[in-house]
Structures are given as C-alpha cells and as structure tokens.
Amino acid sequence: MVKPRLRKRLGDLLVEEGVISNDQLMAALKNQKGKGIKLGASLIDLGYINEEQLLKFLAKQLNIPFYDLSKVKIDQAAVQLIPEVQARRLRVLCIHAEPDRATVVMSDPADLNAMDSVAALLMPREIEFAVARESQLLTSFGQLYRKTKEIESFASQLQEEYKASDFEMGAAAEAEGSENEATVVKLLRMIFEDAVQVHASDIHIEPDEKVLRIRQRIDGVLHETDLNEVGIAPALVLRLKLMSGLNISEKRLPQDGRFKIRARGHDVDVRISTLPIQNGESVVMRLLDQTSGLLNLNDVGMPPQILEKFRRELHRPHGLILVTGPTGSGKTTTLYGALSELNEPGTKIITAEDPVEFRLPRVSQVQINSAIGLDFSRVLRACLRQDPDIILVGEMRDKETCEIGLRGAITGHLVLTTLHTNDAVSSALRLMDMGAPGYLVAAALRVVIAQRLVRRICPDCKEEYVPDESDRRFIDDVIGPGASQHVFYHGRGCQTCNYTGYKGRIGVFEILDLKGEMMDALRAEDTERFSRAANADPDYVPLSHMAYDYALQGITSLDEVLRLAEIAK
C-alpha cells in the first residue's frame, strides 16, 4: 500500500494555490490552537472554505478520487470488513472489496494513523483510498451498519437453545432466571436498536407458517425482514408481555400495554398491541421517541396561513376544534403542539386519552380504561366538574361523547378532539352521523383541520421526470385542466434513501373555518348544502391541492399527490 502524502503543509499549499490568503491562514492557525481542532476544521469553522472545496483540493493534491457517497453504489459485504466502532472512530468506510484489493473512503486523507489501522484490518488487500464529506460518512454509518446480522445471529442462537416443545409451555419456557433469557433480551435489544437507527415509527412481529416476519414502518411504508427461526416467536412475544405487564398466560384475546426502553441514546416509549392469529400472536409496537421532546406549533409544518387561522381559534375562550385524519397522519403531534402553546400557569387543562402518549407538566392527563368503565364519556362528564379551561378528548367515538363535548364547547370551554375522517368537510357531517343535533354542531364547531403525511423526495437523488399519460389525465381531473403541464421531480433511489427515492415526511393540511352559510346548512341538517358551501369557500384549499403545490416545489413527488387524491376520494 502506497500512502498518499502531502508534499507540503496543508496551509502553505492552500496559500500557494490562492485558495486562502496568508492572513486567513494565520487567523485559522490561531483559531485552531484555541479550539484544539485540525487546521481544515478551523478553516471551515471561520468560513474561509467549505468542506467540499477543502476535500476536493486535498484529493487533487494527493491524486486520489473524491466521492459523492449519495451517487456511489456501496457493497454491503465490503462495509462489514471494518467493524462499526472502528469505522466511526477512524471516519472510514470500505465501499468495495475483492480478495486482493479494496476501496476505502475517509474524511481526512492526510490521517496516516487511520490509514495504518485500515491496512491492518484489511490485510493483505491493496488499499485504494478516496475522500468523502464527513457528514455523508456519518449518515452512511447509520444506514449501512444495520443490526440485521446480529438479529439473525441471535435468532439462530435462540432457536438452538430452545426445543420446539418448550415454546408450548408458555411462561415455563421463559421463567425468570432461565439460561436462555439473556438471548431473548439481546435479540429484542437488537430489534429496537435497528428500528431506532432507521427512524422506524412501528415494529411488526408476525409469525407465519414457515418464517418469522419482522417489519418496520419507515416514512409510512413497511420494510420487512424474514427470519427462518419461526419457532422463536412465542419466546419473543412472552418477553414483550412481561416487559409491558400483560397477562402472559392469555393467548386467545388481544391485549394492549406499554413500556419504556433506551436504545442508541434515545428514550423510547413503546405502545404494544397483541393479536391472536392463525400461527400464534401478532405484535405491533408503536415507538414514541421521548428524547427530542414535544414539538411546538411552529415545528408541526403547517403553512403560515393555516397556522395563523389555527392559532386564532386556539386562543378563543370556547368552542370545538377538530383535527382529523387517519391513524399515523400526525394528529397527536398537532394536538400536543397546541397544548404546549396553551399550557400556562393560569390555564387548567384536562385530557382524556387512549393511550396517554406524552407526559405534559401542569396538565391533568387521564388514561382511558374501558375494562373498568372509564370510557371517554364518563371521563368527559367528570372533567366538566373539575373547572377546566381547556379539554382535550382523544377521539370522538360515540354519540354520548360527541354530545357532551359539544355542550362543553358552548358552555365556556375550549374543546380539542379528533375524528378519523378523510377530509375537513366530511368531519362536520360525521358529527351529525353520530347523532349530534345539527344546531348543536353549528353552535359549537369553530374550525376543522384535516392532515396527512406525504413522503419527501430524497434530496441526494432528486431528478426531473415526465409523468405518463394516465397520471396526467388524473392530475388534471383532480387539480384542474393544465395542472400536469409542469416540471415534476422524483427520487431515482440512492444509498441515502435506501433506494426508495424518499427521505422523511412532511405534513399536508387543509383548514375549514365555519362561516355563515355553512352554519345555516348545519342547523338545517342539509348535508348537500353544507358540502357545496364549504367547497365554494375561497379560503378552503383541499389536501390534494396543497400536496400538488409541494410537488411543483420539488418537495414531494406526483405519485404521492396521486396517492393522497385517491385516498381522499
């Protein structure tokens, strides 16, 4: 291995090439000494040069390639040749390997000690070094060093430790102090760490006839891993039941619970649901990361015009505010953001939730427990006797809860609640479908917000594309004639987004502010007139139109707009 070396000191080379001035070099050296950082980092810190300029300059001087990792096909097997701990410490990544040679990218190509360590790890291969941005390396570590191999290894070990008959014995197979307990715990730890690493919102554990399927919901889409050790499923379920305080002997009925874990430096609240299925018990776990804390309304992602209207309604002394959308659309985030803004010493807030997802200081939060008769309607009646200013009802589920909430909203309380409906217009009508009188809905309801989450295009692989004719016709029908005659973007798929073309999600919102004709239609319980008045309101912009605006801006793809429009139909 021939190590690339600089012929002169980095600072002198940069000055000679005219990249920086001598005065800038002196200032950078002084800053370097004061902060104890490398010269390159000092130059970037002072804004004299950016990271990419510096690395390209070094690559040219050392006669080695500069790689944009978002555009490079990385060999997963080669990555594993350097252990994650060493890769992170040395800031190196092996992206390609053969029996006699390997390609390694690094963030500091002048670090000879790192090169020696890499050579020792990969010997006897000839090493070709390259350089890449440190930020891209750190992102790649999180994406490439998944826990899949460890999960498979622990699953295989657990399968060997247990006999098939042991699983049928239920709690006896996983008695406290069992010699196999440590393996189950390690396997679950790997599953949780892997999920937190890829920012999964849910984990599904599903025993099938021949495989144990583990699926993770990432940016709203499930990604699955199949394990051949289907026989370990009962041990996993049993351990999860013990962690969440569920009845470990009950396998015939669904159960719900929760527990807390810490994974990869994150405090995670886990909501668990079990369901008896043909091949055992299915487990779904919702992961709520408590480390980052609650969002405020400014971070929810509402457009300024919608946020302004929402805030205005929030600060009224009474009335009903509805937030609507399907499961996983971000309703809870919006409501908790609203409560965080309203949560002041002079305001009494009570919530009725199923379940309580985040703990809020100064807020009286009630956990619904239907098994003992503590349902929404009973809690809501009790809340009204507790002298509240603001009440949050987790969901309007029945006529009684609906009427109590509406009456509370017209008797001096601000009531926030949710419904599972497709759009803002149908939400108001849904209240009447549940049996609430139209005059009561008109008197109490102030504003309805409907929301969805759409996937963001990956910024590292975004490119223009031309939709096909059928998509053009559909978007013209939904948005209006000529809407498809614009430039659209999608992600072609890259390492950063795990070749999905998407990275992260963004909220799409619509707001319906109830006005004169709409309220008259509600009082008359004329649903068709209400729908016409709402859709004719110039301030009402449907979800699909907002998503379309995001597509024009290159934030999301036309496919996401079409998917949302289909759902909203």
Side-chain angles (χ1 to χ4, degrees), residues 86-103:
Q86 297 276 47
R88 288 183 180 275
R89 182 175 65 83
L90 302 172
R91 295 291 192 266
V92 297
L93 185 70
C94 184
I95 61 172
H96 178 74
E98 296 175 8
D100 59 343
R101 60 188 305 162
T103 302

Side-chain angles (χ1 to χ4, degrees), residues 222-291:
L222 286 171
H223 301 259
E224 70 175 46
T225 301
D226 290 344
L227 300 176
N228 294 324
E229 296 80 8
V230 66
I232 69 172
L236 289 179
V237 175
L238 200 57
R239 184 68 199 178
L240 289 168
K241 284 183 176 180
L242 287 168
M243 292 168 68
S244 49
L246 301 181
N247 184 350
I248 61 176
S249 62
E250 180 57 76
K251 300 180 181 180
R252 301 164 300 169
L253 296 173
Q255 296 187 70
D256 296 309
R258 68 191 305 163
F259 58 91
K260 289 185 178 181
I261 60 164
R262 184 167 180 80
R264 302 188 72 87
H266 293 254
D267 293 317
V268 181
D269 197 7
V270 183
R271 283 165 40 190
I272 179 173
S273 172
T274 68
L275 180 70
I277 59 175
Q278 187 175 9
N279 297 294
E281 288 181 273
S282 169
V283 176
V284 175
M285 292 175 285
R286 169 66 56 88
L287 308 182
L288 302 169
D289 189 349
Q290 306 280 347
T291 305

